[in-house]
Amino acid sequence: MTEAPPYPQKRTCPYEPPPGYQEIGERGPVLKVTLFDGREAWMVTGYRESREILTHPNLSSQRTHPGFPIVAPRFRSQIARSLALIAMDPPVHDIYRRYLNPHFSLRTVRGMRPQLEGIVSGYIDAIIDHGPPADLVPMLAVPLPSLVICRHLGVPYEDHDFFQDASGKVMLGTEEESATAAQDLVDYIDRLVAAQIKEPSDGLLGTLVRERVIPGDVGHDELVSIALVLLIAAHETTSSSLALSVITLLEHPDQLARIQEDPARLPGAIEELLRYIATTDLVATRVAKGDIEIAGHLIREGEGVLVSGTLANRDDQVHSRAHEFDVLREDTHHLTFGFGIHQCLGQNLARLELEVALHQLLTRVPGLRLAVPVDELPILGAGTVQRVLRLPVEW
């Protein structure tokens, strides 16, 4: 075995970890890995250890720290290293979360269900009218979360092609593509915020202008950074999770049949999908701002720390039959949305989008199946968001 295995590695199957992660998992729950630039960082792969370290007071999200681990060249840009919320520690992080939490609460999201059901119904109508084969990436997985977050934020949906393309490049492009796309998005949102300050709309951006910018709690540039994070995070992860969920269900027809027998099983099945797929390979990229003792290891101040959702979600010390996909599983607890103060702000909305989209797709398009073998589906992403570029289906 290598002293510090390479990380990240590419998937060869949309819903399974890369083959090399077996060694990393066996070496866990805490070990060192080697990043693309030759630097080493600590990786936490155990479920319990991940929860422990994600609440440790000496774990920092400050991406400008010289010891912060960068897992791909595209994350070296200034914008990527200064993102609101994601690259912040308390107390500023907690203040921003307090401003945003009510707008993504379970109560708020539940109130969005009728609108969301109508949106999904329109996309399914279009898929049925189109007829097989149909590519679910451009016909459902990509536009659905884009339209939902546009309406929630108050962003003009006619600009969705631009920010879908830009957000994809930020997360999965080359270093130059990512930096350019991030700046394009910042410039675009900067103009939106300026317009909202002149005449606030009813969306979340307008609400934050009235409640936080005008009173002086949040500055113009701060709101731009917040909106950038919300726009990218809400689009990329949910889009990929939906596509990967469809593939996983279609490749496990016995599990799909269980949902079709009783649609009330769908919410539990979604938790199992979130555990099993782990769309975002890492749930945390951090740096130690003080020494941390964990699982018999000493992580020293200034050393980088990665937390692997993919491996923590399949920890056989916590999950029985950890590598099996079982929609009736009771131990579906997972770290896909993170843990602790940085737990995903939009998780309630993501769950609802997955539930409504999968319910309508599976009930209104019976006999759904992949139009090509799963190993021919193009996969993009390593160490960040796993994305399927095409998803052709028949029925």
Side-chain angles (χ1 to χ4, degrees):
M1 289 191 211
T2 55
E3 186 63 30
Y7 180 86
Q9 299 174 26
K10 289 185 177 182
R11 291 191 187 189
T12 55
C13 172
Y15 49 81
E16 292 285 0
Y21 282 18
Q22 181 177 350
E23 177 192 339
I24 293 176
E26 290 170 353
R27 295 269 299 277
V30 178
L31 74 158
K32 280 194 172 181
V33 294
T34 303
L35 304 180
F36 76 97
D37 56 3
R39 297 169 65 191
E40 291 187 355
W42 290 98
M43 172 167 276
V44 183
T45 66
Y47 181 84
R48 295 187 183 95
E49 292 80 7
S50 295
R51 286 168 60 103
E52 177 185 343
I53 201 165
L54 287 171
T55 56
H56 198 287
N58 282 346
L59 201 66
S60 172
S61 297
Q62 289 289 344
R63 297 188 172 198
T64 52
H65 190 290
F68 192 90
I70 298 173
V71 299
R74 58 186 171 276
F75 298 126
R76 289 192 285 211
S77 72
Q78 181 58 37
I79 293 173
R81 301 184 76 170
S82 57
L83 292 169
L85 296 165
I86 293 174
M88 287 179 169
D89 290 334
V92 178
H93 167 272
D94 298 350
I95 294 170
Y96 281 15
R97 286 288 295 230
R98 191 165 66 247
Y99 293 160
L100 293 167
N101 279 340
H103 303 284
F104 291 91
S105 69
L106 189 55
R107 180 180 178 182
T108 297
V109 168
R110 281 175 175 166
M112 298 168 66
R113 179 182 281 272
Q115 182 188 45
L116 189 53
E117 288 176 340
I119 292 170
V120 171
S121 181
Y123 287 128
I124 303 298
D125 286 344
I127 290 168
I128 293 171
D129 290 344
H130 180 280
D135 187 345
L136 295 186
V137 169
M139 298 191 75
L140 180 65
V142 167
L144 172 60
S146 290
L147 180 54
V148 171
I149 196 61
C150 277
R151 290 191 177 180
H152 196 44
L153 288 178
V155 173
Y157 185 63
E158 56 265 29
D159 298 331
H160 69 281
D161 283 340
F162 158 71
F163 66 73
Q164 283 170 9
D165 179 64
S167 63
K169 287 177 179 175
V170 168
M171 296 299 293
L172 296 165
T174 64
E175 181 173 5
E176 184 177 350
E177 286 175 340
S178 179
T180 301
Q183 188 59 57
D184 289 344
L185 274 172
V186 167
D187 293 343
Y188 169 77
I189 297 170
D190 181 76
R191 294 191 295 270
L192 277 182
V193 169
Q196 290 287 340
I197 290 173
K198 289 181 181 178
E199 189 175 345
S201 68
D202 294 332
L204 177 53
L205 281 183
T207 300
L208 291 173
V209 165
R210 286 191 297 270
E211 294 180 353
R212 302 300 172 190
V213 176
I214 292 173
D217 297 330
V218 172
H220 175 113
D221 291 346
E222 291 173 288
L223 184 56
V224 170
S225 186
I226 290 170
L228 175 68
V229 169
L230 295 178
L231 200 60
I232 294 175
H235 172 253
E236 283 299 313
T237 52
T238 306
S239 174
S240 295
S241 294
L242 178 52
L244 294 173
S245 293
V246 171
I247 296 167
T248 305
L249 289 170
L250 297 184
E251 284 294 288
H252 296 81
D254 58 327
Q255 301 302 313
L256 175 57
R258 288 177 167 180
I259 300 172
Q260 291 171 327
E261 289 166 6
D262 183 2
R265 292 170 172 167
L266 184 56
I270 287 170
E271 295 309 307
E272 172 68 344
L273 285 163
L274 290 167
R275 180 196 76 85
Y276 190 73
I277 296 166
T279 303
T280 47
D281 195 11
L282 290 174
V283 296
T285 311
R286 304 282 190 268
V287 64
K289 62 181 181 182
D291 290 354
I292 300 172
E293 291 186 25
I294 185 167
H297 296 274
L298 175 63
I299 300 175
R300 299 189 181 278
E301 178 181 355
E303 292 185 325
V305 179
L306 310 174
V307 180
S308 170
T310 297
L311 292 171
N313 287 351
R314 294 183 178 221
D315 184 349
D316 56 17
Q317 298 297 311
V318 174
H319 299 98
S320 63
R321 301 171 291 107
H323 292 276
E324 288 184 29
F325 176 59
D326 180 3
V327 299
L328 300 185
R329 176 187 295 277
E330 294 184 359
D331 57 336
T332 57
H333 40 274
H334 57 80
L335 296 177
T336 299
F337 292 122
F339 189 72
I341 63 169
H342 284 278
Q343 196 166 16
C344 176
L345 179 69
Q347 62 180 291
N348 295 320
L349 183 55
R351 283 187 171 99
L352 182 62
E353 289 182 49
L354 290 172
E355 180 186 340
V356 173
L358 290 174
H359 175 72
Q360 290 202 29
L361 187 64
L362 298 177
T363 55
R364 294 187 57 197
V365 192
L368 194 69
R369 60 187 181 276
L370 292 178
V372 299
V374 68
D375 58 6
E376 292 183 14
L377 296 174
I379 311 166
L380 187 64
T384 52
V385 177
Q386 314 299 327
R387 181 198 272 188
V388 177
L389 301 178
R390 290 190 306 110
L391 178 47
V393 293
E394 300 172 332
W395 58 93

